[in-house]
């Protein structure tokens, strides 16, 4: 027992230092000699969560619950693992079990909101998230979850900005730092992200980090991910300085950034999961900006600028942002395709005898408005089918929920095919061979999914709204010369979608040409975008301090 305690104690010490992998090795040693108790399994599960080993985490939590079935702490961690493993129905059940025992359990309300959102039940999710904010108004995770979820339904920019401003106005913010002169030296730019890994954000940042003008700019990538991978190593190579802040507290991370004398610090996460806005609240850099990872204002008083473009955020949208908007040349992002990818397939309509529509967007984005749009398209084209892919559709229960929602709109389930998670990137891209035309979500457009569809030869139809999240599709399509597929009314959306079946040869011709169109477009021109970003950074540096 003494030896086993020694390994457990060693693991706890390593956890305190944030050395998760080493801690896991010590926990494994403790278990290898037959040591089994509630706290050991629970702590081991928490460590596994930190390195994204969610299946192993779930197994350890099951062991912990065998020792103490009523443990709300273990049940809550189990709900997190179930969410991460794309099992939101099970997570909902676990959260409701906790709430039946403790009705004001903060984490259970937070996780219930996420579980409901992943099932496409966003309005119910928002109610749960609002409850979590009522219980703990200062809890950052509760606030972030609610703000992100509101983007899935928001169409009023002033109202959305008002909620962000209200929930973030009282966040602590350190005094602004003075900007040292940059004459005669390189401008130091730092990017903070938990997604310098195999994540969609990385496919839009690699080109930027790799093409900065090194005579004028010095680039820092501050990584906060606990699960680095091969993609992470790419950024280690691309950046002048790659700094792992995953085990640093906000204060420690801010101290490191301050020591690096970064001039402009750019957040790539906003209110998404795992963000480190707490670092920015300490104002380690004189100028701080938001870019790419979040589709709305942050509402945070310590974020000075947002990088957008004139199509996503036209002149009359400045009132929707608490930050000053700096507009990049459209599109505001640059897509780097996967290094290996399958060939563009022939138009599937020729083999199927009908048009197949599709969407590979996250289930949370499939709003009531989106279901209305898609159903109208399917009704207008009775021979058509639709393929809908999201990792949550690995759960047949969620598929059945969506089948019922379509049925309420007159769409029979045999016309619908649901695809779940496909982990292999090439196999995921190959799934586009099953669809002829992609239908975007509204009011939260796809981004990565739109780029991937176009890259695989599949045109995308998008409905353009007033907010950034509802205009990203327009910016992307405009960049590849398909702005005619970005429409401003549901009627036009349906009309264009139902016009494609009239001329399959024209659609097949576009499919064959589309990848080259994308490759030659501004969407895949990192140098063009990066020069625009560098100009934007110079504008930020020259903006009077009182305007920040």
């Amino acid at each position: 027992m003494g030896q086993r305690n020694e390994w457990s104690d060693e693991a706890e010490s390593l956890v305190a230092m944030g050395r998760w992998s080493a801690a896991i090795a010590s926990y494994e040693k403790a278990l290898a000699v037959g040591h089994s108790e509630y706290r050991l399994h629970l702590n081991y599960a928490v460590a596994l969560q930190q390195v994204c080993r969610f299946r192993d985490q779930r197994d350890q939590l099951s062991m912990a619950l065998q020792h103490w079935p009523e443990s709300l702490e273990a049940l809550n961690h189990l709900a997190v693992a179930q969410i991460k493993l794309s099992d939101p129905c099970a997570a909902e059940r676990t959260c409701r079990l906790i709430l039946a025992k403790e009705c004001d359990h903060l984490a259970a309300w937070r996780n219930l909101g996420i579980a409901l959102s992943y099932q496409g039940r966003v309005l119910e999710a928002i109610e749960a998230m609002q409850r979590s904010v009522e219980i703990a108004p200062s809890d950052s995770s509760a606030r972030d979850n609610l703000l992100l979820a509101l983007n899935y339904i928001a169409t009023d920019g002033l109202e959305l900005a008002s909620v962000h401003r209200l929930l973030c106005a009282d966040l602590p913010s350190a005094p602004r730092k003075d900007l040292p002169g940059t004459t005669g030296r390189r401008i130091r730019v730092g990017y903070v992200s938990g997604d310098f890994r195999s994540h969609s954000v990385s496919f839009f940042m690699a080109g930027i980090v790799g093409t900065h003008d090194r005579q004028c700019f010095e680039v820092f990538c501050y990584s906060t991910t606990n699960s680095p991978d091969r993609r992470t190593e790419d950024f280690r190579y691309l950046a002048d300085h790659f700094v792992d802040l995953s085990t640093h507290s906000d204060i420690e991370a801010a101290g490191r950034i301050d020591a690096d004398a970064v001039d402009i610090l750019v957040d790539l996460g906003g209110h998404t999961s795992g963000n480190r806005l707490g670092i920015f609240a300490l104002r380690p850099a004189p100028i701080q900006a938001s870019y790419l990872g979040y589709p709305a204002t942050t509402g945070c008083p310590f974020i000075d600028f947002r990088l957008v473009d004139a199509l996503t955020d036209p002149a009359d949208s400045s009132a929707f942002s608490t930050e000053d908007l700096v507009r990049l040349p459209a599109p505001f992002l640059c897509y780097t395709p996967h290094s290996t990818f399958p060939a563009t397939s022939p138009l599937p309509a020729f083999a199927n005898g009908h048009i197949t529509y599709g969407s590979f967007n996250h289930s949370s984005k499939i709003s009531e408005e989106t279901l209305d749009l898609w159903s109208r398209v399917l009704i207008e084209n009775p021979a058509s089918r639709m393929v809908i892919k999201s990792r949550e559709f690995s759960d047949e229960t969620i598929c059945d929920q969506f089948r019922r929602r379509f049925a309420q709109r007159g769409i029979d389930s045999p016309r619908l095919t649901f695809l779940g998670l496909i982990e292999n990137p090439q196999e995921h891209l190959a799934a586009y061979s099953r669809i002829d035309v992609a239908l975007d979500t509204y009011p939260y457009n796809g981004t990565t999914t739109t780029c991937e569809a176009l890259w695989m030869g599949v045109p995308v139809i998008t409905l353009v709204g007033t907010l950034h999240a509802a205009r990203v599709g327009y910016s992307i399509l405009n960049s590849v010369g398909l702005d005619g597929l970005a429409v401003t009314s549901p009627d036009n959306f349906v009309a264009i979608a139902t016009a494609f079946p009239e001329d399959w040869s024209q659609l097949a011709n576009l499919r064959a040409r589309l990848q080259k169109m994308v490759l030659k477009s501004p969407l895949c021109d990192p140098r063009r975008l990066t020069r625009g970003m560098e100009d934007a950074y110079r504008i930020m540096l020259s903006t009077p301090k009182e305007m920040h």
Side-chain angles (χ1 to χ4, degrees):
M1 180 67 71
Q3 188 180 33
R4 289 174 299 197
N5 284 335
E6 178 183 348
W7 284 328
S8 298
D9 292 343
E10 179 181 82
E12 296 306 309
S13 298
L14 292 166
V15 165
M17 293 184 285
R19 296 177 58 190
W20 300 107
S21 296
I24 287 169
S26 295
Y27 284 128
E28 289 172 347
K29 290 177 182 178
L31 291 171
V33 293
H35 190 31
S36 178
E37 62 180 14
Y38 164 78
R39 182 55 60 178
L40 172 63
H41 291 295
L42 179 67
N43 291 345
Y44 184 20
V46 172
L48 290 165
Q49 178 182 327
Q50 294 297 320
V51 296
C52 301
R53 287 174 54 184
F54 301 114
R55 288 185 177 84
D56 293 334
Q57 179 197 11
R58 182 175 57 187
D59 293 342
Q60 289 302 313
L61 290 168
S62 296
M63 296 295 293
L65 287 165
Q66 288 180 20
H67 287 280
W68 186 4
E70 301 299 312
S71 169
L72 299 188
E73 185 178 10
L75 286 170
N76 181 65
H77 283 294
L78 177 61
V80 173
Q82 290 165 334
I83 289 169
K84 296 295 186 180
L85 291 170
S86 300
D87 196 358
C89 294
E92 178 189 356
R93 292 191 294 270
T94 301
C95 291
R96 295 197 187 281
L97 180 61
I98 297 170
L99 292 170
K101 301 175 183 295
E102 185 179 319
C103 63
D104 286 338
H105 194 286
L106 171 62
W109 281 111
R110 283 193 321 232
N111 291 325
L112 176 60
I114 297 171
L116 292 169
S117 177
Y118 284 12
Q119 294 177 57
R121 298 158 61 187
V122 176
L123 294 178
E124 295 175 71
I126 288 173
E127 291 181 359
M129 293 170 180
Q130 287 173 330
R131 181 69 184 124
S132 69
V133 171
E134 291 170 1
I135 293 170
S138 61
D139 183 81
S140 60
S141 294
R143 178 192 67 237
D144 291 339
N145 290 344
L146 175 58
L147 291 176
L148 176 60
L150 289 173
N151 286 281
Y152 295 127
I153 64 168
T155 57
D156 186 321
L158 292 176
E159 181 179 337
L160 185 64
S162 177
V163 175
H164 279 74
R165 188 181 294 108
L166 176 66
L167 292 184
C168 300
D170 294 332
L171 294 180
S173 180
R176 187 187 313 277
K177 292 181 62 178
D178 290 331
L179 177 67
T182 59
T183 303
R185 67 171 177 84
R186 294 192 292 173
I187 297 168
R188 301 185 184 95
V189 177
Y191 296 103
V192 179
S193 179
D195 299 323
F196 292 127
R197 55 187 175 88
S198 295
H199 183 279
S200 57
V201 166
S202 72
F203 288 96
F204 295 100
M205 284 304 301
I208 294 169
V209 173
T211 58
H212 266 301
D213 180 354
R214 292 312 202 269
Q215 292 186 338
C216 300
F217 289 85
E218 187 174 359
V219 180
F220 296 75
C221 283
Y222 295 104
S223 175
T224 61
T225 181
N226 289 319
S227 53
D229 56 21
R230 188 174 302 174
R231 190 77 175 162
T232 309
E233 295 306 308
D234 293 341
F235 283 94
R236 289 185 186 276
Y237 171 78
L238 292 170
D240 294 306
H241 310 276
F242 186 91
V243 184
D244 182 1
L245 297 180
S246 61
T247 62
H248 289 54
S249 68
D250 289 345
I251 292 175
E252 292 168 338
R256 170 58 195 264
I257 295 168
D258 178 66
D260 288 336
V262 168
D263 300 304
I264 302 172
L265 192 65
V266 184
D267 169 56
L268 302 178
H271 294 287
T272 59
S273 175
N275 75 77
R276 297 296 298 272
L277 287 171
I279 297 173
F280 287 76
L282 297 169
R283 283 200 175 273
I287 295 173
Q288 302 190 153
S290 174
Y291 173 63
L292 185 63
Y294 191 69
T297 181
T298 65
C300 297
F302 44 79
I303 301 294
D304 306 309
F305 297 96
R306 274 182 66 217
L307 292 161
V308 294
D309 68 43
L311 299 182
T312 60
D313 296 76
D316 60 358
S317 65
S318 295
F320 304 160
S321 180
T322 60
E323 306 89 355
D324 290 334
L325 298 182
V326 180
R327 293 175 176 85
L328 304 173
F332 72 104
L333 43 74
C334 176
Y335 175 61
T336 302
H338 288 268
S339 56
T340 58
F341 48 88
T344 301
S345 68
L347 188 74
F350 289 129
N352 294 333
H354 58 76
I355 286 289
T356 302
Y357 300 104
S359 172
F360 288 8
N361 284 292
H362 193 279
S363 53
S364 297
K365 295 185 179 182
I366 306 177
S367 64
E368 296 301 312
E369 294 95 332
T370 297
L371 289 172
D372 289 342
L373 274 176
W374 293 354
S375 297
R376 285 185 60 189
V377 171
L378 292 170
I379 288 171
E380 288 294 320
N381 183 10
S384 65
R385 302 290 187 271
M386 188 162 190
V387 174
I388 309 171
K389 180 181 181 296
S390 176
R391 62 185 300 147
E392 281 64 39
F393 293 137
S394 299
D395 186 337
E396 191 63 24
T397 302
I398 298 178
C399 298
D400 285 340
Q401 292 177 10
F402 274 88
R403 289 187 185 103
R404 287 192 292 270
R405 294 168 73 182
F406 273 104
Q408 292 168 357
R409 294 166 168 83
I411 306 302
D412 296 332
S413 60
R415 300 180 66 187
L416 305 170
T417 298
F418 293 91
L419 301 178
L421 174 66
I422 301 176
E423 293 189 354
N424 182 281
Q426 282 67 48
E427 293 177 6
H428 162 72
L429 291 173
Y432 281 100
S433 66
R434 303 181 62 164
I435 64 176
D436 301 286
V437 178
L439 304 181
D440 204 356
T441 47
Y442 178 89
Y444 196 145
N445 294 167
T447 303
T448 307
T449 50
T450 296
C451 294
E452 288 180 344
L454 296 172
W455 182 253
M456 296 308 299
V458 180
V460 181
I461 305 171
T462 189
L463 178 59
V464 183
T466 58
L467 305 188
H468 179 101
R471 300 179 65 86
V472 170
Y474 172 36
S475 182
I476 293 172
L477 289 171
N478 179 79
S479 72
V480 300
L482 293 178
D483 50 302
L485 300 182
V487 300
T488 56
S489 75
D491 287 345
N492 287 341
F493 185 99
V494 175
I496 289 181
T498 54
F500 275 110
E502 298 175 4
D503 190 347
W504 292 0
S505 60
Q506 182 180 356
L507 185 56
N509 180 265
L510 176 60
R511 189 182 189 93
R513 294 184 294 114
L514 194 46
Q515 190 170 101
K516 288 184 179 179
M517 291 170 58
V518 172
L519 187 60
K520 294 180 180 179
S521 75
L523 181 62
C524 289
D525 187 348
R527 294 186 182 279
R528 174 183 176 276
L529 178 62
T530 307
R531 296 295 87 78
M533 292 189 75
E534 291 170 350
D535 290 341
Y537 293 150
R538 294 184 179 98
I539 290 172
M540 295 177 188
L541 291 168
S542 64
T543 302
K545 180 177 178 180
E546 61 271 14
M547 293 293 291
H548 291 175

